[in-house]
């Protein structure tokens, strides 16, 4: 699987570059294609050229919630939405757009979990097509991140994070 990753140029066409990747796919060198740092218009453009299996954008509890509709659109089209910075969130994006620290800590205490696990659990609750790709160099964190798959949040709990 290969993502075409572009660098935050919203109005830019990706047709040429996605077309070149499609040639590699047609030659059997790539099995699946995805796109990253993109808008719904980019997805339309890419899907007119070849199947797209995933969209990878920055998305977390406290950043980039303008992608809420895009996330839903991906689900409607059977495309995986793969958020990066699900844990780091606003720390990687230059400060919080909204501050959910207190709500995250309350849920972490209620579930005997860590704030990072609550962030990942929230991510996985955004839809069956939403995946998690947390980055870690710490084995304890890795085990905690895997365990998050079993952390269930109720609709009422999720509402405290919106
Ligand atoms: N497509 C793109 O443009 C793009 C851009 C950026 C990133 N990415 C990809 O997205 C993935 C995630 O990116 P990321 O790693 O920068 O962001 P992230 O997963 O949101 O955050 C990683 C940070 O969270 C910490 N962390 C991870 N698990 C934790 C846990 N259980 N408890 C506490 N802290 C924890 C890590 O530190 P420790 O190492 O100490 O655990 C690290 O500092 C990576 O695969 C990356 O390559 C893609």
């Amino acid at each position: 699987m290969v993502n075409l990753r572009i660098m935050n140029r919203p109005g830019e066409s990706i047709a040429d570059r996605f077309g070149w990747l499609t040639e590699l796919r047609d030659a059997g060198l790539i099995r699946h294609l995805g796109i990253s740092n993109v808008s719904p218009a980019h997805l339309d453009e890419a899907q007119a050229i070849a199947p797209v299996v995933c969209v990878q954008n920055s998305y977390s509890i406290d950043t980039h919630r303008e992608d809420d509709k895009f996330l839903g659109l991906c689900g409607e089209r059977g495309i995986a939405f793969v958020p990066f910075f699900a844990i780091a969130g606003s720390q990687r994006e230059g400060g919080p757009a909204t501050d959910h620290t207190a709500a995250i800590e309350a849920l972490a205490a209620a579930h005997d979990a860590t704030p990072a696990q609550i962030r990942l659990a929230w991510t996985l609750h955004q839809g069956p097509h939403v995946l998690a790709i947390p980055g870690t160099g710490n084995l304890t964190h890795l085990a905690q991140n895997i365990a998050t798959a079993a952390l269930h949040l109720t609709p009422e709990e999720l509402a405290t994070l919106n």
Side-chain angles (χ1 to χ4, degrees), residues 66-91:
E66 65 265 28
D67 267 357
D68 284 349
K69 282 187 182 166
F70 193 13
L71 182 150
L73 178 71
C74 289
E76 288 164 18
R77 295 187 185 182
I79 296 169
F81 189 88
V82 187
F84 61 84
F85 294 162
I87 294 176
S90 57
Q91 293 174 27

Side-chain angles (χ1 to χ4, degrees), residues 3 5-7 35-37 56-58 60 82-89 91-92 114-117 120 133-145 148:
N3 277 322
R5 177 174 181 246
I6 66 168
M7 299 306 292
I35 50 179
S36 179
N37 290 312
Q56 185 175 128
N57 275 8
S58 176
S60 71
V82 187
F84 61 84
F85 294 162
I87 294 176
Q91 293 174 27
R92 289 278 206 277
T114 67
Q117 287 181 302
L120 281 182
I133 53 166
T136 183
N138 177 308
L139 285 177
T140 301
H141 289 170
L142 177 64
Q144 290 170 346
N145 294 346
T148 303

